[in-house]
Amino acid sequence: MERNKLFEQVKQIYGIVPDYPWRDWNAVLRHQDNNKWFAVVLEVQESKLGLPGDRIMDVVNVKSDPLLIGSLRQQSGFVPAYNMNKDSWISIALDGSVPADTIMNLVDISYQLTKKK
């Protein structure tokens, strides 16, 4: 799944468009009522994710249950969250290695975990 497809899906499902707080290509998806982030799309160098190589790739960070995060990290396309709490967040490669429906399910989990109570 590419970032633009992710953004289209999020807009269609939640009515939310990306916010670019750093004035670069990195984007935040946040709730409209409480401004909490439920996803962050970042350009990151592979080596900074603990992967071999120096290619720049897109990842989406989402919040999830720590037990689920532990099992996801065993799968291709998932790495500890870049630049966020690694117990509560996970980075998902947006390079086609993770099916789009899996990504959207995890985005929904993150959306539910971060919504206003």
Side-chain angles (χ1 to χ4, degrees):
M1 173 178 261
E2 294 180 355
R3 71 171 42 225
N4 289 332
K5 182 67 173 173
L6 173 67
F7 294 154
E8 287 173 20
Q9 294 268 330
V10 167
K11 183 177 181 183
Q12 182 179 21
I13 296 168
Y14 307 107
I16 294 171
V17 296
D19 177 22
Y20 296 90
W22 303 289
R23 311 260 189 264
D24 59 14
W25 193 237
N26 298 312
V28 174
L29 296 169
R30 63 176 88 219
H31 292 272
Q32 294 172 337
D33 59 352
N34 65 11
N35 280 333
K36 284 188 179 181
W37 300 2
F38 63 91
V40 184
V41 178
L42 303 166
E43 284 185 320
V44 185
Q45 192 171 18
E46 290 172 317
S47 60
K48 291 183 179 181
L49 298 169
L51 301 171
D54 291 323
R55 180 176 65 104
I56 302 294
M57 63 185 296
D58 283 339
V59 298
V60 58
N61 287 354
V62 294
K63 188 170 188 171
S64 192
D65 177 82
L67 293 175
L68 180 56
I69 288 172
S71 65
L72 290 172
R73 285 187 192 161
Q74 306 300 315
Q75 301 176 37
S76 177
F78 296 94
V79 294
Y82 176 73
N83 211 25
M84 296 186 83
N85 181 317
K86 290 165 183 32
D87 293 329
S88 301
W89 292 76
I90 190 163
S91 290
I92 309 166
L94 295 178
D95 63 357
S97 61
V98 179
D101 61 334
T102 300
I103 293 171
M104 290 311 300
N105 285 337
L106 291 166
V107 167
D108 188 61
I109 289 169
S110 186
Y111 183 88
Q112 298 304 323
L113 287 171
T114 55
K115 72 181 183 180
K116 192 173 186 177
K117 307 254 190 271

